[in-house]
Amino acid sequence: MSFSKILLANRGEIACRVIRTARALGYRTVAVYSDADAQAPHVALADEAVRIGPAPAAESYLKFDAILGACRATNADALHPGYGFLSENAAFAQACSDAGVLFIGPPPSAIEAMGDKALAKQRMIEAGVPCAPGYLGQDQSDATLVAEARKLGYPLLVKAVAGGGGRGMRLVRQEGELQAGIEGARREATSAFGDGTLMLERLIEGGRHIEIQVFADAHGNAVHLGERDCTAQRRRQKVIEEAPSPIVSPQMRAQMGADAVAAALAVGYRGAGTVEFIVDSENRHYFLEMNTRLQVEHPVTECITGLDLVEWQLRVAAGEPLPLQQQDIQLSGHAIEVRLYAEDPYNGFAPQTGPVQFWRPEWALAGRAKGQCAFGEVRIDAGIQEGGEITPWYDPMVAKLIAHGRDRSDAIRRLMAALEDSPLLGVRNNARFLRDLLDHPQFRAARMHTATIDQWMQDGEPLLQAPQADAPTWALAAAALAAQTSGAFRPGSVAAWSTTLSLQGTAESQAVRIRPHGTQVTVELASGEAFDYEHIALQDHCLHYRQRGMQRRALCLLQDGRVTLTAGAAVFVFEEKSPFPQTDQALDPRKLRSPVAGTVCAVSVAVGDQVKAGQPLVCVEAMKMEMWLSARADGTVTALHTTLKGSVAAGSVLAELELTNKETTP
């Protein structure tokens, strides 16, 4: 089982993560990349890199022939699949074996046994592992699914039997929602995994998502490395993970660990795997699924055990026995991980794309070593770099921030500070949301369940309201403009001027008067408040200023009359409004525009159809998320500029309407 060169059949932060450990152990590495990732960090980090196709995953990262061709071209004799893409594809694992390439993961038989969630649950029932009630049959007709749903009762989950990561899953609370749930789950599963087979599962309401990390070798040994609590989720996708769980006792950990090991042994498992459970309000656990790969959240387990799980993967793949036995594994402290997503949490978590204008995670590390977390350390795993681009083709998760503390409160405090100190600028993201969520009373008290955030979205929880800039922040933005030699619409010789700043484009605006004099600036707001800055200067994106004898600083980007400031992990983008009249085409109700680049996955209207305001017209998929675009006024469809499965650019017109009420026309 010896090997010397490892190809990473993945991208982003997980490819970078595996490459670092592989190189530390003396293995040569090969990266693969699509056209969208030609300049990505994982490409530069590896010893060699091979292009495997265009941007869409189906034409690159999911192509067996292209990836195995890269193995042949570089003489890579082992392959690490990371997570997602082909990591849980039994046919691909078998294709690697047939090609003489060692697949660093479980055998194809184990992947197949656990890859079909319905068959996996049947096998777990046989092994004595507790499972939630559900329908696991092969009859996939809508009529059968409706009938079985009635037997189970509502609420329930419609789930794809293939894949994971919350894809191909719909929550159905009443029968009237079932048909749409079936169609949506089937469509998404077919797109993501090439398999639209579904199962039904009774929803454990108020449950917590707790998973057990297991490891097995080729010598019959299997252990668990404790649990991770992944309860903080939105739309069935994880947002925060922590270890150990704040609700799990030593006795519960031992029982869940034993069930997880039994699940692994039941399928002849080898390597790293995660057995996921849902835990009800009485702390009873039920098997959900087994992920036959490394998990996104594996760093929190590494922190509390002091182990490198990728190193364990490589050693097990090489035929070595597990480094430790169960009694040797000790847990120490508390670790929490947050997922930094390129999405707007204040707009339904809509995915975002665009350039990475600023990303310097080393600011948050501040003298701390990267790698395994010791007490007090912060770790940042990222797959982006300043000057790069976040595209619509892949998952919106761009980085993970992990903090390890002596206890849970210690870890929370450190992680909140890290989020404030490592801003991502250029693309809207969820950093401020994560910071506020970590500090939310329900998270601190461990009283959340898997649907809490979704419920908050419906209830208008303040956590999901966009942060507002206060008067000092408005004034500082105006002062930053004065720190430039000239603004967007005036010569640098002007000694004082009045202007209007807008926040986040058009959300709100404020008139200001700016009087620069040397390195000093006075800003007067429309409210009459005045702010004096005794000194202000911009150096390497850091705005240094002094007020009332106190020296302060703030991260600041200045670009053509646009000022980007950060405060408490929030990002505010101010713009000096042009004196020339402008029309915001994005608000024109006659034209339906795509907010992001992506692929059209559904069109519900045809030319000539009459539509009502709020009616869904076109569905665009980007970054693993479906977004229905609705009419903003009553009217008639006069043109469609897209087709099913067609690619669209951000801002492109997908449909045109003739409005019923002409007075609403801009």
Side-chain angles (χ1 to χ4, degrees), residues 60 127 177 200 218 240 399 420 645:
S60 51
E177 302 170 356
L200 304 177
I240 297 179
E420 294 179 4
K645 303 299 181 184

Side-chain angles (χ1 to χ4, degrees), residues 44 75 79 138 181 207 259 397 424 481 503 541 595 616 641:
N75 294 317
L79 178 147
Q138 295 183 354
D259 285 340
M397 190 190 78
L424 166 61
L481 283 174
L503 177 59
H541 303 308
H641 300 293

Side-chain angles (χ1 to χ4, degrees), residues 377-401:
E377 286 195 346
V378 171
R379 167 176 165 180
I380 299 178
D381 289 4
I384 57 173
Q385 62 187 354
E386 192 171 307
E389 184 90 7
I390 296 175
T391 72
W393 303 109
Y394 313 114
D395 193 281
M397 190 190 78
V398 295
K400 306 180 305 194
L401 287 79

Side-chain angles (χ1 to χ4, degrees), residues 108-440:
S109 58
I111 298 175
E112 188 171 12
M114 287 301 191
D116 185 309
K117 293 181 175 62
L119 295 178
K121 286 189 69 173
Q122 291 175 347
R123 194 179 286 254
M124 293 303 99
I125 292 171
E126 295 170 1
V129 179
C131 297
Y135 171 69
L136 312 174
Q138 295 183 354
D139 187 342
Q140 290 289 297
S141 67
D142 289 2
T144 296
L145 293 174
V146 169
E148 292 297 331
R150 287 174 181 161
K151 294 178 186 178
L152 277 175
Y154 296 91
L156 56 80
L157 293 171
V158 180
K159 301 173 68 173
V161 301
R167 306 225 59 198
M169 186 185 301
R170 294 293 187 274
L171 170 61
V172 177
R173 292 201 169 274
Q174 54 190 8
E175 187 166 327
E177 302 170 356
L178 182 60
Q179 190 62 42
I182 291 172
E183 292 174 359
R186 185 178 285 144
R187 179 177 61 247
E188 191 172 63
T190 301
S191 172
F193 315 122
D195 184 351
T197 308
L198 304 176
M199 58 180 279
L200 304 177
E201 183 175 271
R202 181 178 296 168
L203 178 70
I204 305 297
E205 292 206 87
R208 295 187 70 93
H209 181 121
I210 298 177
E211 60 191 31
I212 302 290
Q213 175 73 63
V214 295
F215 246 99
D217 62 22
H219 306 280
N221 304 309
V223 298
H224 72 83
L225 304 180
E227 81 282 358
R228 296 186 289 257
D229 195 316
C230 308
T231 298
Q233 302 180 9
R234 56 111 178 96
R235 294 173 178 155
R236 300 287 162 182
Q237 290 193 326
K238 300 165 187 174
V239 177
I240 297 179
E241 303 99 350
E242 57 184 313
S245 168
I247 70 150
V248 171
S249 66
Q251 295 78 14
M252 184 177 175
R253 179 176 300 117
Q255 183 58 59
M256 292 182 73
D259 285 340
V261 169
L265 293 175
V267 296
Y269 202 76
R270 186 173 69 245
T274 303
V275 181
E276 299 192 344
F277 296 97
I278 190 74
V279 176
D280 66 16
S281 58
E282 297 181 14
N283 281 2
R284 294 174 299 196
H285 61 278
Y286 302 91
F287 173 82
L288 283 178
E289 63 185 10
M290 183 177 187
N291 291 305
T292 54
R293 52 172 168 78
L294 199 65
Q295 291 281 91
V296 174
E297 56 271 20
H298 74 274
V300 294
T301 297
E302 293 184 322
C303 286
I304 66 168
T305 61
L307 305 172
D308 184 330
L309 300 194
V310 174
E311 179 179 346
W312 274 40
Q313 283 188 299
L314 302 186
R315 293 193 182 282
V316 166
E320 298 180 23
L322 292 177
L324 299 175
Q325 297 181 347
Q326 191 66 60
Q327 64 270 20
D328 301 321
I329 297 168
Q330 302 295 321
L331 309 183
S332 179
H334 198 98
I336 306 179
E337 171 183 293
V338 293
R339 300 186 182 193
L340 186 66
Y341 283 105
E343 63 184 14
D344 186 355
Y346 312 114
N347 184 27
F349 294 96
Q352 306 291 305
T353 60
V356 178
Q357 295 176 347
F358 184 92
W359 172 248
R360 299 185 187 179
E362 61 272 16
W363 285 25
L365 298 175
R368 302 183 180 111
K370 296 181 180 180
Q372 306 311 111
C373 294
F375 285 144
E377 286 195 346
V378 171
R379 167 176 165 180
I380 299 178
D381 289 4
I384 57 173
Q385 62 187 354
E386 192 171 307
E389 184 90 7
I390 296 175
T391 72
W393 303 109
Y394 313 114
D395 193 281
M397 190 190 78
V398 295
K400 306 180 305 194
L401 287 79
I402 311 100
H404 189 201
R406 296 187 180 278
D407 54 32
R408 192 167 184 261
S409 295
D410 195 22
I412 289 174
R413 183 180 64 256
R414 297 179 191 278
L415 194 48
M416 288 175 62
L419 284 165
E420 294 179 4
D421 292 341
S422 54
L424 166 61
L425 305 184
V427 180
R428 291 188 183 183
N429 59 81
N430 66 338
R432 174 58 179 259
F433 166 74
L434 292 172
R435 176 196 174 280
D436 292 346
L437 179 55
L438 286 167
D439 201 33
H440 195 282

